[in-house]
Amino acid sequence: MSQEPDEQAFDEGIGGSPSRISSPELRFEAQRAFVWTSVIGLVILAVYISQSLLVIFGAMVAATIIDGGARLLGRVVPLPRTWLVAIVLFIGGGFFYWLAGYAGSQISREAAQLPEIIEAQATVAFGWLRAQGFAVAVDDLQGMAGQLISGVGTVTRAIGGILGGLTTLLLISIIGVYLAMEPQLYERGVAWMLPRHRRAEFFETASKMAYTMRRLMAGRLVGMIFEGIFTWILLAWYGVPMAALLGILTGLLAFIPNLGALVAGSLMVLVGFSGGTDMGVYTIFVYFLVQTFDGYVVIPMIAKKTVDLAPALVLAAQLIMGILFGIIGLFLADPMLAMLKVALEQRAQRYDNREKVEPAKNGA
């Protein structure tokens, strides 16, 4: 569109712009430098707001759990999606209300005693090692026991109802509810910002990631419920102290594959040996029984190997995310790794399909 006479006279009056680059080559290089600067700036911004991004991803995981529950309930009860989500939230809220009330009485008392038992059993274990000729310093014992008690205290405080991390969990829950109510709305919003020829690929990848996440979370939740309940029943039947607390801890830590089972088993065995050798051996038996049945029966039956991740890769991701973001990063490391793998597999599949189509066109 041509300029108006007044605008043209104004441009001629003020002359050329000092920021104009006349050389096409130099202008191209300046534009490329601006793009690289923007990319680096976005990377720095992502690092700076990484905690917020992790909260958003945690909300997506929470939304997937709610969405999976609503879909499962919708197969039985033909209700609108809003009502299905509301029912799932009511059931989840009722469970946490019961857990908080139960934790406020019995579990809180047990949680206060657990660090003392762990410290006493650790002292006995290191004393036995020194008697066998291992050079274990007292300072090392105190440092390791302090770290273990600190980690146990963090988990038990969260179970006991203290406000550690409550704000983050509240944000994750609120955002997750919004995402679960209208997931297509946010998918369309992201697709709107992409080029038209990329939108179909985005919807396909997003659908595959959502399906994988639902199956992954379904298997994880069933495993958590199974491990928590059966650990509690078996330990309470034998009279192991703090059976309810150990059952809840085992169920919560079952969300973290590999590492969670080791931590839960260590706590269980240490508490078991506080009641004698026979009780300690029984807790070892319970640990292996529950983990074996869960790993070879429950999880394969539910998840059907939805995400085939190498255990060493999962453990490495957990360690890195745990160091960078704490316990929340540790909980979200496995879902994030699974989503990354799905995205890479979809991208590789599209390239394979293109390579198969191009020779066929050339041959035709």
Side-chain angles (χ1 to χ4, degrees):
M1 184 175 64
S2 61
Q3 289 181 322
E4 296 295 334
D6 293 341
E7 295 179 357
Q8 186 175 2
F10 177 75
D11 290 341
E12 293 176 356
I14 64 174
S17 173
S19 62
R20 181 178 183 275
I21 302 176
S22 59
S23 173
E25 293 81 4
L26 186 59
R27 186 163 57 246
F28 173 76
E29 293 296 333
Q31 292 174 350
R32 188 165 64 172
F34 175 77
V35 171
W36 277 108
T37 303
S38 301
V39 171
I40 295 174
L42 289 175
V43 172
I44 295 175
L45 179 63
V47 173
Y48 184 74
I49 63 173
S50 57
Q51 293 285 351
S52 301
L53 296 177
L54 192 66
V55 170
I56 294 174
F57 181 76
M60 295 172 61
V61 175
T64 302
I65 296 175
I66 299 172
D67 178 64
R71 288 171 179 264
L72 184 62
L73 188 62
R75 297 180 179 180
V76 181
V77 183
L79 291 175
R81 179 177 176 82
T82 303
W83 283 101
L84 295 175
V85 172
I87 294 174
V88 172
L89 293 176
F90 178 78
I91 296 174
F95 169 76
F96 284 110
Y97 177 79
W98 170 83
L99 182 61
Y102 188 57
S105 56
Q106 179 179 354
I107 302 299
S108 295
R109 293 192 297 269
E110 294 181 357
Q113 301 172 3
L114 182 59
E116 298 179 1
I117 295 178
I118 298 299
E119 184 178 5
Q121 291 304 110
T123 303
V124 173
F126 279 95
W128 180 83
L129 290 175
R130 286 197 299 270
Q132 302 301 317
F134 293 93
V136 181
V138 178
D139 295 338
D140 296 338
L141 170 62
Q142 293 176 350
M144 295 179 66
Q147 293 178 1
L148 180 60
I149 294 172
S150 175
V152 172
T154 301
V155 178
T156 53
R157 282 196 300 270
I159 296 175
I162 299 178
L163 299 179
L166 183 60
T167 303
T168 301
L169 294 178
L170 182 61
L171 287 174
I172 290 176
S173 301
I174 293 175
I175 300 174
V177 170
Y178 279 115
L179 292 175
M181 284 290 185
E182 295 181 294
Q184 291 81 11
L185 175 64
Y186 301 98
E187 286 185 5
R188 290 195 301 266
V190 176
W192 175 75
M193 295 185 292
L194 298 175
R196 289 182 181 272
H197 64 281
R198 295 291 186 183
R199 292 176 183 177
E201 297 178 358
F202 166 76
F203 282 119
E204 181 183 356
T205 302
S207 176
K208 180 66 175 179
M209 293 174 71
Y211 172 80
T212 302
M213 181 70 80
R214 286 195 301 268
R215 298 296 297 270
L216 180 65
M217 291 298 102
R220 198 64 51 81
L221 289 177
V222 171
M224 291 172 64
I225 295 172
F226 167 80
E227 292 189 25
I229 292 177
F230 277 84
T231 299
W232 172 41
I233 292 174
L234 293 175
L235 294 181
W237 176 78
Y238 196 82
V240 178
M242 306 178 184
L245 177 62
L246 291 174
I248 294 175
L249 286 174
T250 302
L252 291 177
L253 291 172
F255 190 86
I256 310 175
N258 304 327
L259 192 60
L262 293 176
V263 175
S266 300
L267 296 176
M268 190 189 308
V269 171
L270 287 174
V271 174
F273 275 101
S274 67
T277 304
D278 294 339
M279 184 177 292
V281 174
Y282 176 77
T283 55
I284 295 176
F285 167 75
V286 170
Y287 169 74
F288 281 105
L289 176 65
V290 172
Q291 295 298 326
T292 301
F293 189 80
D294 179 67
Y296 288 95
V297 178
V298 177
I299 297 301
M301 182 176 61
I302 300 297
K304 302 293 184 182
K305 295 184 178 181
T306 303
V307 183
D308 186 16
L309 296 174
L313 183 61
V314 174
L315 183 59
Q318 290 171 350
L319 294 177
I320 294 173
M321 293 292 292
I323 293 174
L324 293 177
F325 304 106
I327 190 170
I328 297 181
L330 192 63
F331 271 79
L332 297 178
D334 185 45
M336 184 176 294
L337 186 62
M339 295 301 97
L340 181 61
K341 182 182 180 184
V342 171
L344 294 177
E345 286 179 345
Q346 289 295 110
R347 185 178 179 85
Q349 184 177 1
R350 286 195 296 268
Y351 280 119
D352 291 340
N353 294 335
R354 291 174 185 174
E355 292 178 356
K356 292 178 181 179
V357 170
E358 288 179 359
K361 292 182 178 179
N362 295 332

